[in-house]
């Protein structure tokens, strides 16, 4: 839905630089994008059956699942919590890229507190020379952000976005 800042989810120096670029995010979790369901296993201790069902029903798409984080993940990604937010974006080109790079961060390409960027030009205006590369995919549709759903111990919406609680509840019934 918006442009994102992408660094390798397992590269500590890149994650530290991401925090400097975003500003004001210390202690906040950073979502991770994956190219397919198989990449989730490197990010979590366990994928509950309900999470697998949600992935099959809503991925690729605007659903971020909050799962138990692998102990190997940087506290920068988890925000010091024991969880990690994971999503497969609904863009075939981005998914193909992720299959080659592995999981990448998916935080919006803007400074904390500023509106998310919908075009490469907006990314350049906000972040300029602080970033190394902008992949210009044209304007994004914008709209509602992803819905963020904590899966365990009980399903709980952290942020309602493009996918409503009513749609999600059908999976739990």
């Amino acid at each position: 839905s918006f442009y994102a800042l992408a660094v390798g989810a397992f590269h500590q120096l890149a994650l530290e630089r991401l925090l400097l670029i975003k500003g004001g995010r210390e202690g906040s979790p950073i979502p991770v994008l994956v190219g397919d369901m198989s990449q989730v296993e490197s990010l979590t201790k366990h994928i509950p059956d309900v999470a697998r069902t949600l992935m099959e029903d809503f991925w690729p798409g605007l659903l971020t699942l909050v799962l138990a984080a692998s102990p190997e993940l940087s506290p920068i990604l988890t925000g010091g919590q024991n969880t990690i937010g994971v999503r497969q974006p609904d863009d075939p080109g981005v998914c193909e890229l992720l299959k080659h790079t592995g999981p990448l961060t998916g935080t919006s390409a803007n400074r904390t507190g500023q509106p998310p960027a919908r075009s490469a030009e907006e990314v350049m205006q906000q972040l300029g020379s602080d970033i190394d590369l902008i992949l210009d995919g044209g304007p994004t549709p914008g709209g509602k952000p992803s819905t963020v759903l904590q899966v365990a111990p009980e399903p709980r919406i952290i942020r309602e976005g493009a996918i409503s609680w009513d749609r999600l509840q059908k999976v739990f019934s």
Side-chain angles (χ1 to χ4, degrees):
S1 52
F2 297 99
Y3 275 74
L5 289 175
V7 304
F10 303 104
H11 295 98
Q12 185 66 24
L13 290 176
L15 292 167
E16 291 170 9
R17 184 169 174 222
L18 174 72
L19 281 185
L20 288 174
I21 292 169
K22 285 286 287 186
R25 278 204 58 106
E26 293 78 13
S28 297
I30 297 173
V32 176
L33 302 176
V34 296
D36 59 36
M37 288 176 32
S38 70
Q39 292 182 337
V40 176
E41 293 174 6
S42 65
L43 299 166
T44 184
K45 291 191 251 184
H46 170 69
I47 304 173
D49 290 340
V50 68
R52 289 184 191 280
T53 302
L54 289 162
M55 290 175 202
E56 290 167 4
D57 288 357
F58 294 100
W59 282 8
L62 290 171
L63 178 64
T64 299
L65 297 175
V66 177
L67 304 168
S70 168
E72 289 81 37
L73 293 181
S74 169
I76 292 174
L77 279 180
T78 65
Q81 301 173 28
N82 295 324
T83 57
I84 186 74
V86 184
R87 179 169 74 88
Q88 183 185 11
D90 193 13
D91 182 302
V94 172
C95 287
E96 191 60 31
L97 174 68
L98 290 162
K99 289 176 187 175
H100 292 283
T101 62
L104 298 174
T105 59
T107 188
S108 57
N110 61 315
R111 302 227 190 262
T112 299
Q114 297 298 311
R118 293 187 54 200
S119 69
E121 293 80 22
E122 289 179 12
V123 174
M124 189 62 183
Q125 288 170 0
Q126 284 197 47
L127 303 176
S129 62
D130 287 343
I131 56 176
D132 297 327
L133 174 70
I134 299 173
L135 294 178
D136 188 347
T140 65
K144 289 186 177 182
S146 68
T147 294
V148 179
L149 178 71
Q150 179 178 309
V151 176
E154 294 294 322
R156 177 178 69 90
I157 286 197
I158 295 172
R159 177 183 72 198
E160 188 159 352
I163 299 173
S164 71
W165 178 243
D166 290 340
R167 283 185 60 202
L168 293 169
Q169 281 186 306
K170 292 177 184 173
V171 172
F172 307 125
S173 306

